[in-house]
Amino acid sequence: MALFEIYKRIGKSGRHDGNILILKDKISILALIFPPLWLIINRNFFLIPIYFLAIFFIIFLSNKAGQGIIIFSIIVCHFFFAIQANILREWILKFKNYQLDSIIRAENKMSAYNIYNQDNKIKSSESMQSPNPSKNNKNDDETILNIF
């Protein structure tokens, strides 16, 4: 079973406009192997210079501390990008007016979509139900008056 994040797009009126996005929550292998390519594919062009500055900084530190640290530092840097890929993706989606709605455990995207629809139908049917009638019959007039 995998975790899927469901994002809803918020329209200009501040309400959900019907668009949803279902993404699998996982460590990005591409971000682990070659982060600049992952940044280009996900259109995070402004983070590419930050990546190269980090690599430049690691090379600068390796000249001061010794050459043995450079490979270990680059691997740690790539692992950091792979772990942070989901957070970067969520951050970019916020700029596109997507909001995290729910996280669902499912076998695949289709079953995650079905579970999401079932949950939404239950939530909408609960919100459409009338409030529970009061147990005291003496307060019925007050309840009717509170409606108006």
Side-chain angles (χ1 to χ4, degrees):
M1 294 274 242
L3 290 176
F4 290 90
E5 298 174 345
I6 302 202
Y7 293 91
K8 290 192 321 186
R9 187 174 203 165
I10 306 300
K12 293 182 180 180
S13 64
R15 295 190 307 189
H16 173 54
D17 67 358
N19 292 333
I20 65 168
L21 191 64
I22 301 174
L23 299 172
K24 189 173 183 178
D25 188 27
K26 63 179 182 176
I27 292 179
S28 174
I29 301 298
L30 184 60
L32 179 65
I33 295 171
F34 194 63
L37 183 60
W38 182 86
L39 292 170
I40 290 169
I41 289 172
N42 288 295
R43 297 185 191 116
N44 298 330
F45 301 115
F46 58 93
L47 291 175
I48 294 172
I50 294 172
Y51 169 77
F52 284 115
L53 283 174
I55 296 298
F56 219 55
F57 184 69
I58 289 171
I59 292 171
F60 177 74
L61 285 180
S62 69
N63 288 336
K64 299 288 182 183
Q67 296 295 325
I69 200 167
I70 192 167
I71 298 295
F72 177 73
S73 300
I74 290 175
I75 290 171
V76 168
C77 183
H78 284 206
F79 188 68
F80 178 75
F81 263 91
I83 290 174
Q84 299 300 322
N86 288 333
I87 295 171
L88 289 172
R89 181 184 64 206
E90 186 176 342
W91 184 59
I92 294 298
L93 287 173
K94 283 183 183 178
F95 283 116
K96 296 179 181 179
N97 293 329
Y98 281 95
Q99 181 181 11
L100 180 63
D101 185 43
S102 61
I103 299 174
I104 295 175
R105 184 180 299 252
E107 292 291 327
N108 53 28
K109 282 187 179 184
M110 195 62 184
S111 61
Y113 179 73
N114 291 336
I115 292 169
Y116 175 73
N117 278 340
Q118 288 173 355
D119 288 347
N120 279 346
K121 286 179 184 176
I122 291 170
K123 287 177 188 176
S124 64
S125 67
E126 287 175 356
S127 66
M128 296 297 284
Q129 291 177 351
S130 62
N132 295 333
S134 62
K135 294 180 181 177
N136 298 336
N137 291 334
K138 297 176 187 175
N139 294 331
D140 283 342
D141 295 333
E142 291 177 19
T143 306
I144 292 171
L145 290 175
N146 284 336
I147 293 174
F148 300 107

